[in-house]
Amino acid sequence: MFRLLAGLAAGGGLLALIGGITVAGAYLYIEPALPSVDAMRNVEMQVPLRVYTRDGQMIAQIGEQRRIPVTYDQIPQLVKHAFLAAEDDRFFQHHGIDFLGLARASMVDLMTHGRTQGASTITQQTARNMFLTLDKTWRRKVQEAFLSYRMEHYFTKQEIFGLYLNVIFLGQRSYGVAAAADTFFGKSLDQLTVAEAATLAGLPQAPSRYNPAVNPQAARARRSYVLRRMHDLGFIDDATYAQANAEPVRTHPRSPLATLDAQYVAEMARQEVLRRFGAKALSSGLNVYTTLDSRLQAAANRAVRLGLIEYDRRYGWRGAVAHIKVDADAGLAALQDALDDYDAVGPLTPSVVVSVSGQSAQVYAKDLGMQLIDWQGLAWARKSVAGGVGPAPRQAADVLSAGDVVYIFTDGIHTAQLVQIPEAQAALVALDPTDGAVSALVGGFDYFSNKYNRAVQARRQPGSGFKPFLYSGALEDGFTAASVLPNSPLVLEGNDMETAWRPKNSEGTFSGPTRLREALAKSLNLVSIRLLRAVGIGYTTNYVTRFGFDKASLPQNLTLALGTLQVSPLTLAGAYATFANGGFRVTPYYIDRIEDRNGKVLYQPVRPIACSECEQQASLQDVPLNDASPATLTAADAVRGGPVDLPAAALAPRVISPQNDWIMTDMMADVIRHGTGRRALVLNRTDLAGKTGTTDDARDAWFNGFNSRLETTVWVGYDSEKSLGESEEGARTALPIWVRFMREALKGLPEEHPPMPDGLVTLRISPETGMLVGADNPDAMMETFMVNHLPTSEAATAGRTQAGAQAGAQAGGDSLF
């Protein structure tokens, strides 16, 4: 008996020795592939790039993994208890490996040839999710065991559990409990109920199967198991258990991507991060704070979309997107399934017509349910026909039939409107003229349908929107707002033109001699061409580069007067900002700062500001501009608050004189007071100025307008550059979008009228000749002049004008005039 026991002992010792040697050998074989302790401590979890407005609203999360890192202490005890109950209730007692569970899993693997996976502790799951693959092989299991032991030896239980709750995958691209709480319930961790915490704790085993948004019944069954375990372990009492178990499964997702719709800017921010920091930065948790104002961005989205819908409706109803068979007794689920292939486009929701009666229709809207379209939402839908639109419909059946797939617009308050996806596109850029910060930017009707950013990438002709820059150059060259040029027919021939050019005004009319102020207000092409000829093409192309135009893009012929250069809306907005800010050149920018995940600022541009007061201070102190160290500034608000002490390098360069700027702004105010921009009078403000723009065949429609607080440029057109329509122009197509946006943007803000600078004088002139007249002239009007560019009087120049005209006639005259 003794020999038997001794033999067994010796055999057991031998087996233990063999086992020890095997484990040691396995460790020596596996160890080189394991991360070091330092590597484990310094590992960086993938955290998406987040993009925010200046006032802190999230625009987008960019990255494959949604994660909101939280510390162990920030995780409520309720959430910790739920995951311990669901995954590893002995976590704080064992040393990282449940040997009985591991043996059981190994036996199952042997029987199924390694195709199943047994239960793992929280430590093992953390090791697997952070450092290993998900392969179901013996090698990975051994690596996991050794790595779990290493983690337990060098990390505290709290550190391991905190890592686990940040890295575990819980479905719908959400990694970690904080991201999952936001994804499924739109809550932070401290707002979760017991039932919601148990729902999340049930997800690690099978995130897709137990997804509460997709499979609420399975999620409820799994939640019941977690709640029962929490109750058995004493984490919750009887009443809490009963109440939580009785709650229905409800999700209230809040996608951070939809906090504010500014995806065109989000993509611009992503590209800038990629350019500055490389691809790795996109998943390193950087936070990009843009210059966008969330209120203005929302207003810009609405203005562009409603403006395009209104334009689109003028050209009639093109018909349903598709037609599907709808059974009379089809349930809501069947209707929802029928719309699977149709996505929302911006604010437009795909819908299927269920029934049509009289002057209304019932539709099922995807994800919204049943909606009524009454006659107010249908009456516009005259059929689009070649050359125009058909007769007005009399009843809903003239427009729709059951089974039609259409789009609707609804704000949740009023009845739904029948709409169609606009074929035209638009862009809007709003800048703070003080420093060029982009307050709002829209690059098209819907980013997800078409990612082409027309505000930045499109190069279109500005048409008459270029004229103010030509006129500014003319004022600098000696012309005045009262200078008179003929508004009469013109025929031009040149070596660079294959055929004679016979330009005309948009209305095809002629008015004879016309003052420049009136010519700009009415956007008279013939006067502008003559003005360019008078000041010179070379002079003008050199002059306008101070506004930010690329000289290489400027045509070297007289068509430049009509705005035939190619320019983006962002560039044009930046050029107009010079007029808005008193004559300073500012460069548009859209990133306020970039921070790392810990809030350290990695990048913050120094942006020179337009500041007449600061300029005056620098002059008084005899400090040369651009001769001081740069500083990081957020100075737009400080400027309006009064004199500020800024280094000279922080000042934007002045590119036109205060006198030139004041006169040009006043001339563009006339565009709104009684010119092509009269539609803006509905805003009931007297501090607005701007200029319309329309190109040949109405391929582009623009309005550029501003006051001292905000400059906004709107463009409308087709990507294919086809005509918008014979009756379309900047005043009809783009200006309504500008008005809708500016109404919201300037709401509650008092009017601001920049004071008239020194060096200007207001005199009486003749509206016909633009010359000085006496106080006894009943038709006289007042005009403002630079003191170094004053007109002469009618009486003094009458003789010389007549003699000059006779000499010109004898010499054949000027072919232009």
Side-chain angles (χ1 to χ4, degrees), residues 355-532:
S355 63
V356 176
S357 177
Q359 292 188 328
S360 66
Q362 286 280 348
V363 301
Y364 177 85
K366 187 176 184 178
D367 299 327
L368 297 179
M370 298 300 296
Q371 300 284 326
L372 173 69
I373 307 178
D374 61 16
W375 192 240
Q376 185 178 2
L378 285 170
W380 69 270
R382 302 168 67 178
K383 186 177 180 180
S384 177
V385 297
V389 293
R394 296 182 178 182
Q395 55 187 355
D398 294 337
V399 180
L400 300 174
S401 60
D404 281 349
V405 176
V406 299
Y407 280 85
I408 67 166
F409 173 80
T410 178
D411 57 8
I413 300 174
H414 305 91
T415 56
Q417 297 270 323
L418 176 69
V419 293
Q420 53 195 355
I421 301 172
E423 293 181 340
Q425 286 289 351
L428 182 150
V429 178
L431 301 179
D432 181 342
T434 305
D435 63 353
V438 175
S439 299
L441 185 147
V442 180
F445 187 82
D446 177 56
Y447 172 82
F448 295 104
S449 299
N450 188 326
K451 294 178 173 58
Y452 182 54
N453 188 344
R454 295 154 192 85
V456 177
Q457 296 173 291
R459 300 290 186 272
R460 307 294 290 244
Q461 293 185 10
S464 295
F466 180 75
K467 289 175 182 175
F469 307 102
L470 163 63
Y471 281 55
S472 173
L475 293 185
E476 204 65 29
D477 195 44
F479 281 80
T480 73
S483 296
V484 173
L485 291 175
N487 177 30
S488 56
L490 188 61
V491 179
L492 296 171
E493 297 182 7
N495 295 332
D496 57 344
M497 299 180 183
E498 295 182 1
T499 59
W501 181 37
R502 294 177 173 82
K504 60 182 180 179
N505 295 319
S506 60
E507 295 181 356
T509 58
F510 310 101
S511 56
T514 305
R515 289 173 291 110
L516 292 190
R517 176 180 289 272
E518 184 180 1
L520 185 65
K522 296 181 179 179
S523 199
L524 300 179
N525 293 337
L526 297 173
V527 173
S528 299
I529 294 169
R530 287 185 164 96
L531 181 63
L532 176 58

Side-chain angles (χ1 to χ4, degrees), residues 27 80 138 177 348 453 476 527 634 764:
Y27 179 78
K80 297 172 185 174
W138 273 97
V177 290
L348 311 186
N453 188 344
E476 204 65 29
V527 173
T634 309
R764 289 177 177 271

Side-chain angles (χ1 to χ4, degrees), residues 98-392:
D98 183 347
F99 288 102
L100 291 177
L102 181 61
R104 182 176 64 251
S106 298
M107 290 298 296
V108 174
D109 277 1
L110 286 172
M111 297 174 63
T112 59
H113 303 287
R115 296 186 180 278
T116 65
Q117 180 177 316
S120 299
T121 65
I122 282 176
T123 308
Q124 288 175 285
Q125 292 183 56
T126 305
R128 181 190 316 140
N129 279 276
M130 290 191 68
F131 307 110
L132 302 174
T133 68
L134 299 181
D135 297 338
K136 300 175 183 179
T137 63
W138 273 97
R139 178 183 173 85
R140 200 270 297 158
K141 288 182 181 296
V142 174
Q143 287 179 312
E144 183 181 296
F146 287 135
L147 192 55
S148 297
Y149 173 78
R150 181 175 287 183
M151 291 183 70
E152 288 276 345
H153 188 70
Y154 291 102
F155 290 78
T156 67
K157 285 288 188 178
Q158 288 77 12
E159 288 175 325
I160 295 171
F161 198 16
L163 283 171
Y164 170 78
L165 292 174
N166 274 285
V167 302
I168 191 68
F169 176 60
L170 298 173
Q172 294 193 200
R173 293 173 52 209
S174 297
Y175 290 77
V177 290
D182 186 77
T183 296
F184 292 111
F185 304 114
K187 294 182 177 182
S188 59
L189 290 175
D190 59 353
Q191 296 173 320
L192 293 176
T193 66
V194 174
E196 290 166 344
T199 300
L200 295 182
L203 289 170
Q205 188 181 97
S208 297
R209 185 190 313 161
Y210 298 128
N211 185 323
V214 177
N215 196 345
Q217 291 182 334
R220 181 165 190 165
R222 178 65 177 164
R223 185 191 70 180
S224 295
Y225 165 76
V226 177
L227 289 170
R228 186 167 63 252
R229 293 287 298 137
M230 293 176 72
H231 179 257
D232 292 345
L233 293 167
F235 293 150
I236 57 175
D237 57 26
D238 293 347
T240 303
Y241 168 69
Q243 180 180 355
N245 204 35
E247 286 185 21
V249 174
R250 293 194 184 97
T251 57
H252 305 281
R254 181 184 68 210
S255 170
L257 299 174
T259 303
L260 178 70
D261 188 355
Q263 296 308 308
Y264 289 102
V265 176
E267 173 58 18
M268 291 165 64
R270 185 194 70 83
Q271 292 179 10
E272 183 65 13
V273 168
L274 190 64
R275 185 182 71 83
R276 287 187 173 275
F277 304 108
K280 188 177 179 181
L282 298 179
S283 59
S284 61
L286 298 188
N287 296 310
V288 180
Y289 290 88
T290 68
T291 58
L292 295 187
D293 181 302
S294 58
R295 183 178 68 87
L296 269 58
Q297 181 64 37
N301 292 336
R302 181 175 177 82
V304 166
R305 286 165 173 168
L306 290 181
L308 284 174
I309 289 172
E310 289 172 355
Y311 163 77
D312 191 76
R313 283 184 169 185
R314 291 201 286 270
Y315 294 89
W317 171 240
R318 296 187 294 273
V321 174
H323 188 86
I324 57 178
K325 183 178 180 181
V326 177
D327 296 331
D329 57 350
L332 298 182
L335 295 173
Q336 178 75 13
D337 291 343
L339 294 169
D340 273 349
D341 294 334
Y342 304 94
D343 296 322
V345 178
L348 311 186
T349 304
S351 308
V352 58
V353 179
V354 176
S355 63
V356 176
S357 177
Q359 292 188 328
S360 66
Q362 286 280 348
V363 301
Y364 177 85
K366 187 176 184 178
D367 299 327
L368 297 179
M370 298 300 296
Q371 300 284 326
L372 173 69
I373 307 178
D374 61 16
W375 192 240
Q376 185 178 2
L378 285 170
W380 69 270
R382 302 168 67 178
K383 186 177 180 180
S384 177
V385 297
V389 293

Side-chain angles (χ1 to χ4, degrees), residues 560-616:
L560 178 63
L562 307 186
T564 55
L565 67 158
Q566 302 285 331
V567 67
S568 72
L570 182 64
T571 299
L572 193 57
Y576 269 90
T578 296
F579 292 127
N581 65 30
F584 299 88
R585 167 77 185 282
V586 293
T587 301
Y589 73 104
Y590 58 92
I591 290 182
D592 181 65
R593 67 189 185 279
I594 300 175
E595 298 178 354
D596 68 12
R597 67 175 71 186
N598 299 315
K600 178 183 177 182
V601 176
L602 303 179
Y603 167 73
Q604 185 168 29
V606 176
R607 290 297 176 179
I609 63 167
C611 177
S612 296
E613 295 87 350
C614 310
E615 182 185 45
Q616 293 165 8

